[in-house]
Amino acid sequence: MDGPWLLGENPLPGRWSPGGPPHVWLLRIGDHAPVPPEEYERVLDAGERERAAAFIRQLHRERYVAAHLGLRSLLGAYLGLDPAAVELTREPCPGCGGPHGRPAVAGATGLHFNLSHTGDLALFAFADTPIGADVETEQPESVVAEVARMLHPLETAELDALPLAERPLAFARCWTRKEAYLKGTGTGLSESPAVTYVGSGAAPASPPGWTLTDVAVGEGHAGAVAVAVA
């Protein structure tokens, strides 16, 4: 993908400027102190507060809260809004028309975004066109062997041809690319992972109409962003 990308944690950006490259931000949640409930409950909406309260483990709640506060902070900066005033919604699903497609901000046009988090990492991506992001932790070979059967036949063959020690990273690359693309289209895993080929090698294979890019997120993890071609 042409043009510079932003990969960082601070400072917050200014207003969104259409016509530029995608912006990608990585938040390492473990580097920050947990946010007290009296602070995050003011910012998160009712659905987010309900989801946060449903977590049994405090660690999982803290990670969810940090990721969503990060998203709201970035959206607020891009749109010139208080983070608490950002009204999150969903676009219609391209498959069934239900309200579970791509995430969006009500009333905002010209800015698309996506969020993914795993462990203490949260990946945020923003663009002028539909965009999907995914970050994953590398899985043990036993998990890779089981889930790899669900992939595109060419991807399964690629993984089978690798030494066992190289399969977890190759699988993580493939899975993050696939998730990023499916989140970008808005279909999610309602589309079988076997349908679209994205590859497991060092360079992604971009589906027609999309640009897939791997994002370096640190050892033991893989990240990817999919952006619709304007």
Side-chain angles (χ1 to χ4, degrees), residues 57-116:
R57 294 188 60 190
Q58 179 68 19
L59 176 62
H60 295 163
R61 180 180 302 111
E62 290 172 356
R63 288 171 171 174
Y64 173 86
V65 166
H68 281 253
L69 287 177
L71 175 65
R72 285 179 166 276
S73 295
L74 288 166
L75 284 170
Y78 282 131
L79 297 171
L81 297 172
D82 185 293
V86 173
E87 185 180 349
L88 297 176
T89 186
R90 288 277 181 175
E91 296 179 359
C93 170
C96 68
H100 47 260
R102 285 186 296 262
V105 176
T109 59
L111 176 60
H112 299 262
F113 69 92
N114 212 247
L115 159 67
S116 178

Side-chain angles (χ1 to χ4, degrees), residues 162-222:
L162 292 175
L164 290 179
E166 297 180 19
R167 292 180 189 176
L169 175 57
F171 173 80
R173 283 194 302 246
C174 181
W175 192 261
T176 54
R177 295 166 185 171
K178 199 172 294 283
E179 281 263 29
Y181 166 69
L182 294 175
K183 290 171 70 178
T185 64
T187 59
L189 289 176
S190 63
E191 176 184 312
S192 168
V195 172
T196 302
Y197 176 77
V198 297
S200 64
S206 296
W210 290 81
T211 298
L212 271 174
T213 305
D214 292 336
V215 180
V217 293
E219 186 176 356
H221 298 83

Side-chain angles (χ1 to χ4, degrees), residues 4-15:
W5 285 39
L6 300 179
L7 184 60
E9 297 173 357
N10 56 71
L12 287 173
R15 291 291 293 268

Side-chain angles (χ1 to χ4, degrees), residues 110-190:
L111 176 60
H112 299 262
F113 69 92
N114 212 247
L115 159 67
S116 178
H117 56 92
T118 183
D120 71 345
L121 297 181
L123 186 66
F124 312 92
F126 304 84
D128 289 344
T129 58
I131 188 168
D134 192 55
V135 60
E136 301 283 348
T137 303
E138 287 184 28
Q139 298 298 312
E141 201 282 324
S142 58
V143 174
V144 173
E146 180 179 353
V147 182
R149 305 301 112 188
M150 301 169 54
L151 301 176
H152 188 282
L154 292 178
E155 295 162 347
T156 301
E158 291 170 359
L159 292 170
D160 285 344
L162 292 175
L164 290 179
E166 297 180 19
R167 292 180 189 176
L169 175 57
F171 173 80
R173 283 194 302 246
C174 181
W175 192 261
T176 54
R177 295 166 185 171
K178 199 172 294 283
E179 281 263 29
Y181 166 69
L182 294 175
K183 290 171 70 178
T185 64
T187 59
L189 289 176
S190 63

